[in-house]
Amino acid sequence: SSVRGCRAANRFAVISRPFERVSHLMEKPDLRNIPYFQKNANVDVTDAHWRQGTAIPLPERKRRLGRGQVIRYSVLVPMKNDGVSLAADILLPRSVAESQGQIRVPTVFHQTRYTRSLRLRKPWRYLVMGGEPIDVVNSPAKRAFLVAGYAVVSVDVRGTGASEGIWEASWSDQERKDSGHMLDWIVQQHWSNGSVALYGISYDAAAALRTLSLCHPAVVACVALFPFWDVYRTISFPGGVPLRRFLTVWVRSYPAHVEHY
């Protein structure tokens, strides 16, 4: 057993060496060395504003929401700068929707280029989500948010899904500006208490982080799962190996008018 233990220890040492070399990169950075914070000395970089006891009160939580307990509707939200409308799904716990503004809750804001929801053809639609439109990737998370008492707003970014306009490129400046207009719209709704959490996975996560950079006063949290910053290293040539299959499928999903390089 001692021999096995030594062998295991040696294997662990070999595996851990690369991580030891980069461990200094994982240390918490001093934000005061970043130019933005040097120019804006009044910005709080200590996270002291995240204090205990400031949690937003929510309606009574339930483990699951039965049929009819979620109110869903779709709207077209016009953007302030050019009037282009974005298609959005609004999902509310029934108690919130029927309170006529008496119950106001935080909102989870999700934006995607992969279609915010879809409805299956009959009779298959009745086998999934009780016939309700589904989001193949995010439906479980959206249900969890609703069970916790949050409102959920899911939007197709400009030029994708049912939204108007032209999708120029991934995470374009216009897409970022649109998200700011959506936040303005959300906080004006009768069910909103003025607090918004950003949420997304993969492309949607990077979009959430782009929205976060607006520093909109309504945003109090951001849940960005599996985003990527360097498209070359993370999804094009990870480890120097071309990821041809993924790139082929991903590029084919681009609108026809987008030029490929």
Side-chain angles (χ1 to χ4, degrees):
S1 59
S2 60
V3 173
R4 292 196 192 96
C6 291
R7 289 175 178 172
N10 290 334
R11 291 194 194 100
F12 178 79
V14 172
I15 295 172
S16 63
R17 284 189 194 116
F19 293 96
E20 292 173 359
R21 293 172 188 159
V22 299
S23 60
H24 66 284
L25 300 176
M26 303 174 66
E27 297 175 359
K28 186 174 181 180
D30 185 356
L31 297 181
R32 292 184 177 84
N33 294 330
I34 298 177
Y36 171 81
F37 292 103
Q38 291 175 348
K39 296 178 181 179
N40 300 272
N42 60 328
V43 175
D44 180 13
V45 297
T46 64
D47 289 338
H49 57 292
W50 298 107
R51 298 185 181 90
Q52 294 183 354
T54 59
I56 302 169
L58 298 174
E60 181 181 356
R61 290 177 171 83
K62 299 179 181 179
R63 291 189 176 182
R64 59 192 308 176
L65 293 171
R67 186 176 179 84
Q69 293 303 305
V70 174
I71 301 299
R72 169 197 293 268
Y73 59 94
S74 299
V75 295
L76 288 173
V77 182
M79 299 295 97
K80 295 178 180 179
N81 56 331
D82 58 7
V84 168
S85 294
L86 303 189
D89 283 346
I90 316 301
L91 295 89
L92 303 172
R94 178 174 287 277
S95 59
V96 175
E98 295 181 346
S99 71
Q100 299 298 320
Q102 296 301 311
I103 301 178
R104 296 173 177 266
V105 296
T107 303
V108 176
F109 177 46
H110 166 247
Q111 48 192 326
T112 182
R113 56 150 289 203
Y114 297 115
T115 307
R116 69 195 190 283
S117 62
L118 54 90
R119 187 188 295 273
L120 301 178
R121 294 180 177 179
K122 297 178 181 180
W124 312 114
R125 70 173 59 170
Y126 300 111
L127 302 178
V128 182
M129 294 285 291
E132 291 292 322
I134 63 171
D135 180 333
V136 177
V137 175
N138 298 288
S139 280
K142 291 178 180 178
R143 285 198 300 268
F145 294 139
L146 291 164
V147 168
Y150 294 90
V152 176
V153 174
S154 186
V155 62
D156 291 328
V157 299
R158 177 183 293 247
T160 69
S163 290
E164 299 174 353
I166 296 176
W167 189 72
E168 299 173 346
S170 300
W171 312 293
S172 66
D173 288 339
Q174 184 59 59
E175 182 177 305
R176 177 172 174 265
K177 294 176 183 176
D178 289 344
S179 67
H181 298 321
M182 285 298 306
L183 291 173
D184 292 339
W185 180 85
I186 288 172
V187 299
Q188 294 172 2
Q189 305 310 301
H190 66 84
W191 36 260
S192 170
N193 71 351
S195 297
V196 179
L198 308 175
Y199 162 80
I201 300 175
S202 188
Y203 181 101
D204 309 351
L209 292 173
R210 291 272 290 169
T211 300
L212 184 66
S213 69
L214 293 173
C215 299
H216 194 285
V219 175
V220 297
C222 181
V223 183
L225 305 176
F226 315 113
F228 35 82
W229 295 107
D230 189 332
V231 176
Y232 180 87
R233 293 185 179 183
T234 54
I235 62 175
S236 299
F237 293 86
V241 179
L243 197 58
R244 293 190 178 90
R245 175 63 179 170
F246 176 82
L247 290 175
T248 300
V249 173
W250 199 42
V251 169
R252 285 176 180 173
S253 70
Y254 275 52
H257 67 269
V258 177
E259 295 183 4
H260 308 310
Y261 297 94

